[in-house]
Amino acid sequence: MEQSLDSIQFVIEESGWLAPLFFILLHVLRQIFFIPVILVCLLGGYLFGVFYGTIYSLVGLIFTSLAFYIIAKKFPKVTTKLFYLKKKYFGSYHRMSLVQMMIIRLMPFIHFHLISLYLLEISKNVREYTKYSFYACIPPAFVFTAFGHMIHELPLVLSLTLVGLLFIAFTFIGKKEVTYKWSDFFTAKS
């Protein structure tokens, strides 16, 4: 087993610029194959190291977010249904700050594109969406690449403690305001 891992590492080192390109493409295509973000980032940390793995994962996650943006704009009916589901499960008035979105992206059981939907909702244009996506993708790209393997091998109690701490941070950093629209209280007569 160790010999095959060494041979894979050798092939990647000798492939030059193709290995990072294929890795970034894997990030974009992983959603088609239902591969979790954490697994791809872990692979990046193993294959490229912490620094380059984080950079390649960040680029791949940005391209994934941009693909979501393009699909959302090309198919507005799908986006409308996604916003309906978000409203149904999270309520109309639930807002998250960018810091909350960065924290929740660290939770591997939260779907990546749920946060992309929130980013789409708060963005005015593609440039702003890309900027917010960049910030929201930094924590998972770094943490999953650098420490993901270590987190996976922690005992269950420590893993649950880490998730609990992230949940507490998520709760206390959140926005404390609720916005109600005039139409929620008064209906216009036609």
Side-chain angles (χ1 to χ4, degrees), residues 138-157:
I138 291 173
F142 176 72
V143 171
F144 293 158
T145 301
F147 302 110
H149 186 67
M150 184 178 70
I151 289 172
H152 254 358
E153 292 192 0
L154 285 176
L156 181 61
V157 174

Side-chain angles (χ1 to χ4, degrees), residues 79-165:
T79 308
T80 304
K81 287 182 183 181
L82 289 173
F83 277 119
Y84 171 75
L85 288 172
K86 179 187 138 306
K87 180 180 175 182
K88 180 179 176 183
Y89 291 110
F90 295 105
S92 304
Y93 309 109
H94 187 262
R95 302 273 188 250
M96 283 196 288
S97 66
L98 185 60
V99 175
Q100 279 182 304
M101 289 183 230
M102 292 168 76
I103 291 171
I104 204 167
R105 277 255 167 105
L106 286 172
M107 298 180 188
F109 51 86
I110 302 293
H111 197 279
F112 185 82
H113 290 307
L114 174 65
I115 303 305
S116 296
L117 194 63
Y118 273 100
L119 293 172
L120 186 68
E121 190 175 46
I122 66 170
S123 302
K124 295 178 181 101
N125 54 34
V126 69
R127 184 177 181 177
E128 194 171 81
Y129 176 82
T130 305
K131 181 178 78 169
Y132 291 151
S133 291
F134 174 76
Y135 292 136
C137 288
I138 291 173
F142 176 72
V143 171
F144 293 158
T145 301
F147 302 110
H149 186 67
M150 184 178 70
I151 289 172
H152 254 358
E153 292 192 0
L154 285 176
L156 181 61
V157 174
L158 289 177
S159 296
L160 292 176
T161 303
L162 179 62
V163 170
L165 289 173

Side-chain angles (χ1 to χ4, degrees), residues 26 35 55 58 67 73 79 96 116 122 127 139 152 172 185:
L26 176 64
I35 302 171
I55 290 173
L58 189 57
K73 293 301 179 182
T79 308
M96 283 196 288
S116 296
I122 66 170
R127 184 177 181 177
H152 254 358
F172 286 114
F185 294 106

